[in-house]
Amino acid sequence: MLRFQNVSKVYCSGEQSVAAISGVTVTVARGEFVALVGRSGSGKSSFLNLAGAVDMPTSGTVLVNGISTTDLDDEELTSIRRKHVGFVFQFFHLFPTLSVLENVEIPLQLAGEGHARPRAQEMLDLVDLADLGGRFPHELSGGQMQRVAIARAMVARPSLLLADEPTGNLDSESAASVLGLFRLVNSELQTTIVMATHSLEAAAESDRILTLRDGRLVLHEHDS
């Protein structure tokens, strides 16, 4: 589903350059749930941006669903993101003036797809928020807002879900609920998940842990 082949990403500012990712080679299998751990500045967010075709590698190749992102133009990259990739963030990024249901519909509307409303409602059913579609984000708890964000990320049925610190702003009960939802999405929809996290408890829910240190992959841990 996702493959990095000797991938490096260097950011330049004036005469200074910072290697965010250095020579990473790794494969994430279809249907796998992987946790990406490491200290702040280790390269986790850069890894996710490369995996989601938001950013391009300085060198090496990133393949999403077998497609090399480096071979695509902007329009093709946008299509890859809309069709194959869903994003969930620490800060929920919901539109405050739109209802819960309208927030979930947005990816389908941007893609010009029909039947947005019933598909959005289906996703709200999946995240156990079927009765809250008419509410607005400020009327929800943090855990509920994150579940809305997950519904929005999944409404186009992406094959790859990328999550950047999805439990970072949640209490322990809400975090456990979100992680349980990831497991549900992973098992029921066979969605491949890569989750960056500082939480060892969250990482323990995954099938495999990848550790980044100074942009390099230093450890693979498999669930027994």
Side-chain angles (χ1 to χ4, degrees):
M1 182 62 237
L2 175 67
R3 179 161 176 78
F4 280 39
Q5 297 177 333
N6 197 27
V7 170
S8 294
K9 179 62 183 181
V10 178
Y11 295 99
C12 296
S13 178
E15 296 182 355
Q16 294 185 330
S17 61
V18 176
I21 298 291
S22 299
V24 169
T25 295
V26 67
T27 298
V28 178
R30 189 175 302 277
E32 193 174 13
F33 182 2
V34 171
L36 188 65
V37 303
R39 295 180 179 179
S40 296
S42 62
K44 299 190 301 298
S45 292
S46 294
F47 184 102
L48 293 182
N49 286 337
L50 292 168
V54 174
D55 208 350
M56 294 295 104
T58 304
S59 61
T61 304
V62 177
L63 295 100
V64 178
N65 204 23
I67 302 168
S68 172
T69 61
T70 54
D71 298 331
L72 306 179
D73 60 26
D74 288 343
E75 184 176 346
E76 290 169 326
L77 288 170
T78 297
S79 178
I80 285 288
R81 289 191 292 268
R82 286 180 178 172
K83 292 180 179 177
H84 298 291
V85 185
F87 296 90
V88 177
F89 305 96
Q90 178 177 355
F91 301 101
F92 318 117
H93 298 308
L94 301 179
F95 292 93
T97 59
L98 298 182
S99 71
V100 164
L101 189 58
E102 290 167 338
N103 267 281
V104 176
E105 287 177 326
I106 285 175
L108 298 179
Q109 293 176 340
L110 290 174
E113 297 187 23
H115 308 293
R117 181 59 54 95
R119 289 178 62 182
Q121 187 62 57
E122 180 185 353
M123 284 300 105
L124 286 179
D125 291 345
L126 180 70
V127 302
D128 200 25
L129 294 176
D131 297 331
L132 301 185
R135 293 194 183 182
F136 289 85
H138 72 272
E139 300 177 290
L140 306 181
S141 68
Q144 288 172 331
M145 283 192 284
Q146 190 61 293
R147 284 152 64 190
V148 173
I150 293 169
R152 181 181 59 190
M154 292 301 303
V155 73
R157 293 295 179 93
S159 47
L160 175 63
L161 180 64
L162 303 174
D164 196 355
E165 298 290 350
T167 62
N169 276 345
L170 304 179
D171 58 52
S172 57
E173 183 177 352
S174 296
S177 175
V178 165
L179 290 171
L181 184 54
F182 279 165
R183 264 297 176 199
L184 176 67
V185 166
N186 177 244
S187 61
E188 293 292 325
L189 303 181
Q190 292 299 297
T191 305
T192 305
I193 300 176
V194 180
M195 175 182 66
T197 182
H198 283 96
S199 167
L200 294 180
E201 291 86 354
E205 293 294 322
S206 69
D207 301 321
R208 180 163 55 121
I209 299 174
L210 305 178
T211 301
L212 281 173
R213 182 179 301 151
D214 298 327
R216 296 184 180 277
L217 198 60
V218 296
L219 183 65
H220 299 252
E221 295 180 8
H222 291 265
D223 185 24
S224 60

